Amino acid sequence: MDVSKTKSSFYRRLYVAYLIDSGLASSVPTLTEVTGMPRRTAQDTIAALADLDIVCEFEQEDGARNHAGHYRIRDWGAIDRGWIERNLRQIKAVLEYP
């Protein structure tokens, strides 16, 4: 499937936000495990969510050290989470994720 870099980047951000919000993968290690993307790509994708006005915050676990915790989506901005759910199969196919 021939997909533009813009579309794949956009879909990757939507999918990562969806995984975080649904609780399926709310940390970098779980994102890399679920998607197979490299650690740095996962980190960069989380940081890029702000470009879409998606508010994603890291929550440190009480008493934990070394940045132990998870991410949480606080606001989806103009993005419709329901659209992502309805088109999840297509998003994953474009990204070639299982």
Side-chain angles (χ1 to χ4, degrees), residues 2-13 94-95:
D2 191 24
V3 178
S4 72
K5 291 180 96 173
T6 301
K7 185 173 190 172
S8 64
S9 175
F10 180 64
Y11 276 15
R12 184 176 305 105
R13 293 175 191 185
V94 166
L95 297 172

Side-chain angles (χ1 to χ4, degrees), residues 14-26 31 34 71-73 76 81 84-85 88:
L14 294 180
Y15 188 53
V16 164
Y18 169 80
L19 289 172
I20 291 170
D21 195 50
S22 65
L24 296 172
S26 59
L31 281 170
V34 168
Y71 288 93
R72 182 179 305 276
I73 301 298
W76 281 91
R81 185 186 190 280
I84 299 168
E85 289 177 325
L88 197 55

Side-chain angles (χ1 to χ4, degrees), residues 9-83:
S9 175
F10 180 64
Y11 276 15
R12 184 176 305 105
R13 293 175 191 185
L14 294 180
Y15 188 53
V16 164
Y18 169 80
L19 289 172
I20 291 170
D21 195 50
S22 65
L24 296 172
S26 59
S27 67
V28 172
T30 56
L31 281 170
T32 59
E33 182 181 320
V34 168
T35 64
M37 71 175 68
R39 178 188 58 81
R40 185 66 193 182
T41 301
Q43 291 171 323
D44 290 347
T45 302
I46 291 169
L49 294 177
D51 292 343
L52 300 178
D53 289 331
I54 296 173
V55 178
C56 181
E57 297 175 348
F58 184 77
E59 295 182 344
Q60 182 82 20
E61 290 180 15
D62 290 336
R65 298 184 308 168
N66 301 327
H67 302 289
H70 61 276
Y71 288 93
R72 182 179 305 276
I73 301 298
R74 293 285 182 204
D75 189 341
W76 281 91
I79 303 298
D80 178 8
R81 185 186 190 280
W83 183 91

